[in-house]
Amino acid sequence: MDRQAGGSLVGEIKVKRTAVIALSALSASMFGQALGTWSEINWPNGYYVRAIHLVLLPDERMLLWNSSYSFGQPLPDTPRLTVVSPATNHAYNVFSVGGAANTTTNLFCVGFTMLEDGRLFAAGGHKIENGYGDDRINVFDWRNPNNEWITGTNLMTQLRWYPTVTYLPDRRVLVTTGIGGPTHSPSYIPDLWVVDVPWLNTPLKDYHAALPTYPTVDSYYPFWFVDPKDGNMFLANRGKSDETPNANKKLNLATLQLSSYGVLSNQDMNVRRQYPSAVMINAKNDKGNREAIVVMSGGSKTGESTLSSNSALFANLYDDPPVWTAAQPMNYTRQCHTLVALPTRDVIAFGGTDRFGTNGTPYLAEALPRRAPELWNPFANDRATRPWKLMAMSEREIPRGYHSTALLMPDARVMTAGGEPEGAAPGTGFEWQKVPQIYSPPYGGRADWITRRPTLSDVPATVGYGDTFNVTMSPNATSNEPITRLMMISPGAVTHAFNERQEVYELDFVHLSGNTYRVSAPASSRLVTPGYYMLFAVDATDDGTPGETRIKGIPSVCKWIQVKDFEQIFVTGGRIARGSSPSAINWSEPAELLLGENAYLGSAVFYGPWLNGPRVELEFEGNATNASPAKVRFSTQLKVLGDGQMKVFFKDHTTNAWVLTDTRSVNGVEKNYEIVANNTNFVSPSGKIAAKLEFRQTAPALSTPRVFIDVAEFGVR
C-alpha cells in the first residue's frame, strides 16, 4: 500500500502485474567475495513485476505479484502471472514469463500461506481505495497446468487489508486482523477456516466461522508463530496505537482465550509499531540443546519523521513463559526489512529504511535505504553479546525499503526483490527496484562454498509425523567435512517484512553406515505444520574468523520432502446412542464438528435419561479413501460439565464389535484429544470407519452433567 507513516492512505496503484517465475543461468557479475556475492535476475522483453508479494512454490517456481489493477476498475485489466517449467540447475538468473491472472480480486496487500498440498491460501486484498480491504479467499494451485486462481464464495467476517494468514497444526487456517471498510478501521474479529470438506458445494469446499474479537492484536500483519510446546499460537506483539507497551499474547486454539504471555526484558522493542520483522527457528544451539528462537528486530514508532530502531530481541518458546532478551543492536536502524533464516540456523536482515520520507512517501532519498544486509547468530553461546555483522552490498545498490521482499531459495541463496517507488525517474537509482537480486551468503566463511557443498540424496517424497527414514549424505570430496545438521525449511510466502510461512526445524539423525543416515521426522504437527519443505544437509566447514559473527557450515542443494498428516476424514454420520441434545443434529453434514469455534454438537449432549445411568454414548462415522491403512486416528476437541471419564472405541467391521482403544480423563477445560491405533479391521473394504465415545461422570454428585463436542474427525495412514 502507499501509506503515510502517520497512518493516512495516499497514492494510487500503478502496476497491474502478477507473476510466477522460473529461472536459469548464473550471472557472471559477482564481487564482494569475503562478505557474500550478488547477482541479478533479468526480465525478458522489457517485462517486469515488482515483487511486493513473493512465494516459492514446491516446483521451485516463484509466484510474485504487485497489484492486480488500478483504482476505479471493477476488474483487473492486464494482470499477469509467469508460468514456466522450473529451473534444473539452481542458477536462477533469467525469468521466463507466461500468463495466469486472477480475474476477480485485487491481491494487493493480502495475507497468504501454504496448505499441506502446497496450494497458496490468500485472504483479503484491495477494494475501492487503500485501506478498504476485501473479504474474499483466493487459492492458487501450483499443480494446475492452467495456473488458475480459485475465488471462494464464502466471505470473511470482515474486510481485510494487511491480514496475517497462519496455517495451524490441525490443518485449519487462521486469518487475523488487517483493516477494512470506508473508515479503514481494524478488523479485530478473526476467521477460522477449513477447506476440502467433501459435502460442501462451494468452489473451495470451505467452511469458516468468526472467533471472538481480539482488539489487542496488531492490525497490520501481526507476527503469529506456532508454540512447539502445545501447538497453540504465540503472538510477538507490537506496541499500541499510543506507543505504550503491548504484551505478547498466547491464543489457546481450544478455549479461544487470548492472554498475555511472555516477559519483556526490553520494552523499548515492544513499542516499535511500524514494520519490524520477525522469524522463528527451531534448532539445537551450540551446546546441543533444542530451542525455538523467535527473533524480532527494527521497526519504528508511527509517524512520518520517526526514526527506525536498530534494536533486536530474542526469546525461546520452549521456556514457559518465554523471556525476551535484548540482543546487540543492528548496525543500521531499519524498518520494512525482512529477516531470513538460513539453513545454518543464522538470520540475515535484508533491506529496510531509516524512516519514511517527506509527507510519508516511503521511497525518497531521505528515507535512507539500507543497502547492506546484516548477519546474526541466534544459537551462539554468546548470542546476547554477539554483534550483527554487515555483509556485502550489491554492485548496483538497489534500495529495498517499503514493499520489498526476501526469501530463501532451494540452493540456499537468498532472493531479494521489490521496493518503492514504482516508475521512478531514470538516474535516481530507484528505477532498478524492478530488478530482483540474489545474494550468496559466505557459507562456511568461504567465497568458493558452492564448489564445496555436501551432497544430499535418496530422500523420500513424503514422510509422516514420528516416522524414521533413511537418506544419503555425502561430504564434499574436496573438504571432506562431516555432515552435522539436517535442516527442514518451508518454502517462503513473504510480504511487508514478514514471512507468513517460514518454518525452520532441525531434524535428529544417526549414522548407520557409509553415507547412510537414519532420520527422525518431527514427532508432531506442533513442531512443523503439514506441507512441503526444503531439506538441507549442512557440513562442519568453519573457515571464518573464530569468535566473530560468521556462518558455520556449508549447505547442500535442497531436496524436497512433504510432511503429511493422517488423511483427513470428516464425520459424515453418527448418532447419540445414550443421552439427548437440545438442538437437532445434521449427522450427514455436522458443521459444528469442523472447526473448533465453540459451536458444539447439538449445543450440548446431556447424560441420561436416568434409567441409562449417568453416561453419554456417541457414535461417529466417516469414509476413508484408503481402505487398508496401517493406522487409524480419531481426533476430538471437547469439554464436559464437571469431571468425567472418556472411553474411545473403534468398530471392528468384520464382527461389528466395539473395541476399547483408550481411556482419558476429561473436565471442564476444552482440550484436544488424539487417539491412534493399529488398524485391526477398523476400516471396511469400502473405506467406512466408525468410533464411539463413552462418557461417565465422576464428579460432582447430584448435578446435570453434559458433554460439549467442538471437533471430531477421523484420520488414516
Side-chain angles (χ1 to χ4, degrees):
M1 92 180 162
D2 297 324
R3 185 175 75 87
Q4 291 183 354
S8 60
L9 302 166
V10 297
E12 179 180 89
I13 304 170
K14 295 181 179 178
V15 171
K16 317 176 193 83
R17 296 164 181 160
T18 327
V20 173
I21 58 178
L23 321 127
S24 61
L26 183 63
S27 169
S29 174
M30 305 182 112
F31 58 95
Q33 296 281 356
L35 299 174
T37 60
W38 288 86
S39 59
E40 294 183 357
I41 300 176
N42 300 311
W43 289 99
N45 303 320
Y47 176 84
Y48 72 93
V49 171
R50 186 165 53 103
I52 293 176
H53 317 82
L54 181 60
V55 180
L56 175 63
L57 301 173
D59 60 3
E60 298 189 356
R61 290 178 295 166
M62 298 280 187
L63 169 65
L64 56 95
W65 69 94
N66 176 5
S67 172
S68 298
Y69 56 97
S70 301
F71 295 157
Q73 294 177 332
L75 289 175
D77 49 358
T78 55
R80 301 173 194 263
L81 204 63
T82 66
V83 177
V84 292
S85 58
T88 57
N89 60 357
H90 299 96
Y92 303 109
N93 186 49
V94 178
F95 286 3
S96 300
V97 181
N102 186 311
T103 58
T104 64
T105 310
N106 185 352
L107 300 173
F108 183 44
C109 300
V110 297
F112 44 90
T113 191
M114 281 186 176
L115 307 178
E116 182 178 31
D117 57 11
R119 287 176 296 167
L120 187 73
F121 182 105
H126 186 282
K127 277 185 177 180
I128 301 176
E129 62 186 5
N130 282 338
Y132 197 91
D134 202 313
D135 52 5
R136 285 173 288 189
I137 299 295
N138 286 270
V139 171
F140 178 80
D141 191 344
W142 61 283
R143 305 163 301 181
N144 186 317
N146 296 321
N147 300 288
E148 295 175 342
W149 291 86
I150 299 176
T151 302
T153 54
N154 286 330
L155 302 180
M156 290 184 288
T157 305
Q158 294 181 289
L159 300 166
R160 300 188 193 276
W161 200 48
Y162 277 54
T164 288
V165 180
T166 309
Y167 196 44
L168 302 179
D170 63 0
R171 289 178 285 203
R172 274 68 173 173
V173 180
L174 178 67
V175 185
T176 51
T177 63
I179 60 175
T183 62
H184 308 166
S185 55
S187 304
Y188 284 134
I189 303 174
D191 281 293
L192 193 60
W193 223 276
V194 64
V195 297
D196 301 326
V197 181
W199 69 74
L200 296 176
N201 295 319
T202 60
L204 299 175
K205 295 187 176 296
D206 58 328
Y207 181 81
H208 79 105
L211 300 187
T213 301
Y214 300 134
T216 57
V217 176
D218 192 82
S219 55
Y220 292 100
Y221 290 115
F223 296 154
W224 288 104
F225 300 98
V226 177
D227 190 328
K229 296 189 299 296
D230 54 20
N232 289 313
M233 299 305 299
F234 174 76
L235 175 66
N237 216 354
R238 286 170 269 181
K240 300 177 183 177
S241 58
D242 62 0
E243 303 301 347
T244 56
N246 199 1
N248 296 279
K249 304 293 183 182
K250 186 75 169 284
L251 175 60
N252 186 311
L253 293 171
T255 65
L256 303 182
Q257 296 298 308
L258 184 70
S259 57
S260 295
Y261 186 65
V263 178
L264 287 167
S265 61
N266 178 351
Q267 292 190 340
D268 194 36
M269 176 64 217
N270 188 241
V271 300
R272 295 301 189 255
R273 176 177 178 81
Q274 185 166 271
Y275 300 116
S277 189
V279 67
M280 185 177 85
I281 302 173
N282 190 325
K284 296 176 185 176
N285 61 26
D286 284 354
K287 294 180 180 178
N289 301 318
R290 182 171 291 279
E291 298 178 308
I293 299 296
V294 176
V295 182
M296 186 160 58
S297 72
S300 71
K301 295 182 180 181
T302 303
E304 292 178 8
S305 60
T306 300
L307 305 183
S308 298
S309 168
N310 64 349
S311 62
L313 289 183
F314 65 93
N316 178 13
L317 291 195
Y318 279 113
D319 292 337
D320 191 12
V323 177
W324 287 100
T325 302
Q328 291 298 296
M330 295 183 293
N331 293 280
Y332 286 135
T333 57
R334 297 177 191 259
Q335 62 175 341
C336 305
H337 61 297
T338 304
L339 292 177
V340 177
L342 301 181
T344 50
R345 310 167 300 153
D346 302 302
V347 169
I348 298 188
F350 286 92
T353 59
D354 177 64
R355 69 197 81 177
F356 279 75
T358 304
N359 297 321
T361 52
Y363 49 81
L364 300 180
E366 64 263 32
L368 299 179
R370 304 313 194 186
R371 296 179 172 91
E374 298 191 43
L375 171 73
W376 188 58
N377 309 137
F379 290 87
N381 294 333
D382 61 348
R383 59 192 172 196
T385 58
R386 178 161 291 212
W388 291 72
K389 183 175 184 177
L390 285 172
M391 310 304 282
M393 289 191 295
S394 61
E395 184 176 22
R396 196 200 311 267
E397 296 180 3
I398 302 176
R400 303 285 186 200
Y402 186 51
H403 281 162
S404 65
T405 48
L407 59 69
L408 183 72
M409 298 167 62
D411 66 348
R413 295 183 297 163
V414 177
M415 176 177 166
T416 67
E420 294 288 353
E422 170 60 27
T428 64
F430 290 85
E431 72 270 25
W432 298 108
Q433 289 178 336
K434 65 184 181 182
V435 178
Q437 296 168 293
I438 295 176
Y439 175 69
S440 178
Y443 286 110
R446 300 189 63 94
D448 62 347
W449 69 271
I450 288 179
T451 67
R452 301 171 71 93
R453 288 183 186 270
T455 302
L456 174 64
S457 59
D458 302 319
V459 174
T462 62
V463 295
Y465 292 104
D467 286 353
T468 59
F469 58 96
N470 292 352
V471 300
T472 300
M473 296 190 289
S474 306
N476 182 270
T478 300
S479 69
N480 202 34
E481 290 284 355
I483 309 297
T484 56
R485 299 191 187 279
L486 190 58
M487 302 296 294
M488 177 180 285
I489 303 180
S490 59
V494 61
T495 188
H496 291 79
F498 186 46
N499 191 332
E500 297 173 55
R501 191 63 167 92
Q502 188 167 60
E503 298 185 43
V504 185
Y505 186 81
E506 181 176 354
L507 296 171
D508 294 319
F509 61 88
V510 296
H511 181 244
L512 294 181
S513 62
N515 292 326
T516 303
Y517 296 80
R518 176 154 296 168
V519 183
S520 297
S524 167
S525 59
R526 72 176 185 273
L527 302 176
V528 299
T529 57
Y532 282 90
Y533 289 84
M534 298 179 287
L535 198 60
F536 294 93
V538 182
D539 73 14
T541 302
D542 184 14
D543 291 337
T545 303
E548 288 190 359
T549 301
R550 63 197 190 278
I551 303 176
K552 296 191 290 186
I554 296 177
S556 66
V557 171
C558 88
K559 294 294 184 182
W560 288 87
I561 190 168
Q562 186 185 20
V563 181
K564 298 186 71 172
D565 205 346
F566 281 62
E567 176 192 339
Q568 193 170 28
I569 304 169
F570 297 100
V571 171
T572 54
R575 69 187 185 102
I576 300 176
R578 291 179 184 269
S580 61
S581 64
S583 302
I585 298 173
N586 180 356
W587 282 104
S588 62
E589 299 180 6
E592 307 99 316
L593 300 180
L594 291 177
L595 280 176
E597 77 279 32
N598 294 352
Y600 302 106
L601 182 70
S603 299
V605 180
F606 291 87
Y607 284 34
W610 177 251
L611 293 176
N612 290 325
R615 109 179 121 160
V616 163
E617 290 184 12
L618 292 147
E619 297 175 8
F620 302 90
E621 299 171 355
N623 293 282
T625 58
N626 179 4
S628 56
K631 293 183 179 295
V632 297
R633 181 175 74 184
F634 186 77
S635 302
T636 184
Q637 183 177 300
L638 57 83
K639 63 181 179 180
V640 300
L641 187 65
D643 296 325
Q645 182 187 77
M646 176 180 69
K647 292 183 177 181
V648 183
F649 303 79
F650 283 103
K651 190 173 189 178
D652 185 323
H653 281 281
T654 60
T655 65
N656 285 327
W658 291 106
V659 179
L660 177 63
T661 305
D662 205 346
T663 301
R664 303 284 182 93
S665 296
V666 292
N667 56 32
V669 178
E670 187 162 334
K671 297 179 183 177
N672 291 296
Y673 301 89
E674 181 179 292
I675 296 88
V676 178
N678 293 324
N679 177 30
T680 52
N681 301 317
F682 295 149
V683 182
S684 75
S686 63
K688 293 189 178 299
I689 185 172
K692 180 173 73 170
L693 302 183
E694 178 185 291
F695 298 89
R696 290 182 180 271
Q697 179 191 5
T698 58
L702 302 176
S703 65
T704 308
R706 64 200 70 176
V707 179
F708 300 87
I709 300 180
D710 210 2
V711 173
E713 70 177 43
F714 293 96
V716 298
R717 78 173 195 191

